[in-house]
Amino acid sequence: MRPTFVKVCGLRSPEDAEKLEGLDVSAAGLIFVPGRRRQVTPEQGASIVAHLPRGVLKTGVFVNPTREELLSVLDQVPLDLIQLHGEESPQFCGWLKEKVKAHVVKVFHMGTRPPASPEDYAPCIDAVLLDSSSGQKRGGTGKVFPWEWIPREKEYWRRRRLPVWVAGGLSPDNVGSLLNGYAPDGVDVSGGVETEGRKDRKKISQFVERVRQYDRQD
């Protein structure tokens, strides 16, 4: 069995990137969404990724970007993954894979209608992220969605050979229960490893260790 994919999202400074040194983290996320508390500019993003430990995948988080906006970020920040939280179409995802040669993570917000048929997305994306939703806010809610919905989603997407990751209100205190109960392929955490709005290395370490404890069970 592959190790669980672990992404720490919402890095805002080079110091945040350095806090991942020596930890078994798969990816780090930078939020390029105007108006979000953890938003960074492309200039800031370039500085942050320069301080990431080697091997940590660089992820850009977007909500309904135009092609021009996305290419403008990519001109300055060498991203490995592009995570789409909005109503981006399968055609947009396909353009990313074909023209930009990017790995695409499409977010599906539990309890809301997807912007297009999930079947149409399957050929155009590389991973699925299940996240919570609160009103018009997409992601970053700090809330857990009903995990009993996960098995249905896993079955659907695994038939299409796509990994299923989970976000939404995760923390060192509950990630073990999620993994033991529902075994997603990956987990994505942000606010749950912060103290007073800042990334906390101790909490990140605890989160990662609880994931790896689960991985070592098999």
Side-chain angles (χ1 to χ4, degrees):
M1 188 178 76
R2 290 183 179 181
T4 304
F5 190 92
V6 177
K7 174 170 163 277
V8 177
C9 201
L11 274 62
R12 291 195 283 173
S13 67
E15 291 75 23
D16 283 349
E18 291 168 354
K19 289 172 185 175
L20 304 184
E21 188 68 49
L23 303 180
D24 192 5
V25 172
S26 313
L30 309 177
I31 298 175
F32 299 103
V33 183
R36 292 294 178 90
R37 180 167 62 86
R38 300 181 182 91
Q39 176 199 1
V40 295
T41 65
E43 293 78 12
Q44 290 170 324
S47 178
I48 293 167
V49 301
H51 287 77
L52 282 173
R54 180 174 297 182
V56 175
L57 296 174
K58 300 172 284 292
T59 308
V61 176
F62 300 86
V63 175
N64 299 324
T66 65
R67 297 184 182 192
E68 292 73 20
E69 288 168 346
L70 208 148
L71 291 173
S72 176
V73 173
L74 286 169
D75 280 343
Q76 300 178 68
V77 189
L79 298 175
D80 301 302
L81 303 172
I82 294 177
Q83 183 172 309
L84 300 173
H85 271 263
E87 288 74 44
E88 300 86 4
S89 68
Q91 292 76 19
F92 186 84
C93 296
W95 169 78
L96 277 174
K97 282 185 66 66
E98 293 175 19
K99 303 299 183 183
V100 183
K101 307 298 183 185
H103 291 278
V104 180
V105 181
K106 184 69 185 85
V107 180
F108 292 91
H109 298 278
M110 297 294 91
T112 66
R113 180 186 292 274
S117 168
E119 184 70 32
D120 294 336
Y121 283 102
C124 310
I125 61 178
D126 299 282
V128 169
L129 177 61
L130 309 180
D131 201 355
S132 55
S133 177
S134 179
Q136 296 299 311
K137 189 172 184 183
R138 297 291 185 259
T141 66
K143 295 182 179 179
V144 176
F145 67 83
W147 288 345
E148 56 267 27
W149 295 345
I150 295 174
R152 177 192 63 200
E153 298 290 331
K154 276 177 53 181
E155 180 181 2
Y156 180 87
W157 292 109
R158 284 185 172 176
R159 287 202 304 267
R160 290 149 182 86
R161 299 185 178 182
L162 287 170
V164 174
W165 305 340
V166 170
L170 298 184
S171 71
D173 295 330
N174 64 10
V175 69
S177 297
L178 169 67
L179 293 166
N180 284 303
Y182 300 96
D185 302 296
V187 289
D188 189 344
V189 66
S190 184
V193 290
E194 292 181 351
T195 297
E196 296 181 353
R198 296 291 179 184
K199 290 291 182 282
D200 184 320
R201 179 180 165 87
K202 181 177 180 181
K203 289 182 179 179
I204 298 171
S205 179
Q206 290 172 339
F207 185 90
V208 173
E209 178 54 29
R210 282 166 194 176
V211 175
R212 301 308 173 210
Q213 284 176 354
Y214 162 79
D215 289 343
R216 290 193 292 268
Q217 291 176 171
D218 294 320

